[in-house]
Amino acid sequence: KNEVEQSPQNLTAQEGEFITINCSYSVGISALHWLQQHPGGGIVSLFMLSSGKKKHGRLIATINIQEKHSSLHITASHPRDSAVYICSARNYGLSQGNLIFGKGTKLSVKP
Amino acid sequence: DTAVSQTPKYLVTQMGNDKSIKCEQNLGHDTMYWYKQDSKKFLKIMFSYNNKELIINETVPNRFSPKSPDKAHLNLHINSLELGDSAVYFCASSQDSQGAYNEQFFGPGTRLTVL
């Protein structure tokens, strides 16, 4: 079992829908990252959070440290949001700074 | 100005060859990383360097060796390439490795194809 699990694996939505992508992790972490990988392959960091909630435009990320769970929400989704969203946990331990990645959620937003 | 750049963007080569991928960051960051993304799009860390010191070395074959001539560069050398090395390799950088709040900035990736 991967130490970082994402769900769903694939998600298709209609433009305007509210979207939630979930991430659960089993390791002790210092921070959790949400990344966006565009169809062209480039990776962009969306959020890095260790507690509570962060918001950038239509994107909201939350984390519950006790439950070891994070969610990424997209409000008023748009076709340009179509991408793979990757959750990664920065864990403590022997490899400080190590990032463990989920397998990604492929989002497709239809017009 | 590109924050993290990689060259080449595409690399096609024969099995057994030796090749290098270059990475440069102009962000003044102290730590740089190499990641491998396999055909199933799964990302995995390979190496990171902090101030010219290797601080993470995951269980990758010793045919792979990172080389950092200075803080702004972390190159990846691969000897005796194998078919299984075909993947997209991403370079990234962050302010440092010790803090809990350091965002990583990714390069555009290098798609390596071994024939």
Side-chain angles (χ1 to χ4, degrees), chain A residues 15 37 54 83 99 106:
Chain A
E15 184 173 356
Q37 186 166 27
K54 285 190 176 180
L99 279 181
K106 186 173 182 180

Side-chain angles (χ1 to χ4, degrees), chain A:
Chain A
K1 187 177 184 244
N2 200 31
E3 292 166 303
V4 177
E5 294 282 347
Q6 283 184 239
S7 62
Q9 192 173 349
N10 291 285
L11 182 55
T12 300
Q14 286 298 125
E15 184 173 356
E17 284 185 7
F18 180 83
I19 289 163
T20 296
I21 299 171
N22 295 299
C23 175
S24 297
Y25 53 92
S26 58
V27 295
I29 68 166
S30 60
L32 186 128
H33 299 246
W34 280 101
L35 308 174
Q36 180 191 52
Q37 186 166 27
H38 291 282
I43 297 175
V44 174
S45 176
L46 296 175
F47 294 103
M48 183 177 61
L49 65 165
S50 58
S51 65
K53 176 179 168 180
K54 285 190 176 180
K55 184 175 188 292
H56 288 157
R58 294 180 296 106
L59 301 178
I60 303 166
T62 63
I63 188 168
N64 184 318
I65 298 294
Q66 287 74 27
E67 294 184 3
K68 294 190 173 181
H69 181 268
S70 175
S71 293
L72 176 69
H73 305 285
I74 305 175
T75 61
S77 60
H78 190 275
R80 64 174 174 266
D81 298 325
S82 298
V84 175
Y85 293 84
I86 303 169
C87 168
S88 65
R90 179 186 287 272
N91 74 327
Y92 285 118
L94 295 177
S95 300
Q96 280 193 340
N98 193 6
L99 279 181
I100 305 171
F101 294 90
K103 294 189 176 181
T105 295
K106 186 173 182 180
L107 172 64
S108 179
V109 181
K110 306 292 185 189

Side-chain angles (χ1 to χ4, degrees), chain B residues 78-90:
Chain B
I78 316 169
N79 295 324
S80 302
L81 278 155
E82 300 178 357
L83 293 177
D85 298 332
S86 296
V88 180
Y89 293 84
F90 286 95

Side-chain angles (χ1 to χ4, degrees), chain B residues 3-100:
Chain B
V4 183
S5 59
Q6 293 179 229
T7 54
K9 187 165 182 175
Y10 299 95
L11 181 55
V12 181
T13 188
Q14 299 284 336
M15 251 185 358
N17 284 350
D18 302 337
K19 290 293 178 185
S20 295
I21 306 171
K22 295 185 177 181
C23 178
E24 177 181 3
Q25 53 95 4
N26 62 7
L27 298 166
H29 286 168
D30 286 336
T31 304
M32 296 181 71
Y33 308 81
W34 276 106
Y35 294 94
K36 179 180 179 181
Q37 187 172 43
D38 61 25
S39 57
K40 295 183 179 178
K41 304 292 187 184
F42 190 47
L43 274 166
K44 188 170 182 180
I45 190 166
M46 300 178 73
F47 302 104
S48 73
Y49 255 75
N50 185 336
N51 290 327
K52 295 192 179 184
E53 195 171 355
L54 181 67
I55 59 170
I56 301 174
N57 187 349
E58 294 295 311
T59 53
V60 298
N62 58 14
R63 299 181 294 104
F64 291 80
S65 56
K67 298 245 185 332
S68 181
D70 55 58
K71 198 173 83 166
H73 297 83
L74 183 66
N75 303 324
L76 183 64
H77 297 272
I78 316 169
N79 295 324
S80 302
L81 278 155
E82 300 178 357
L83 293 177
D85 298 332
S86 296
V88 180
Y89 293 84
F90 286 95
C91 176
S93 73
S94 65
Q95 183 65 43
D96 64 54
S97 65
Q98 301 301 316

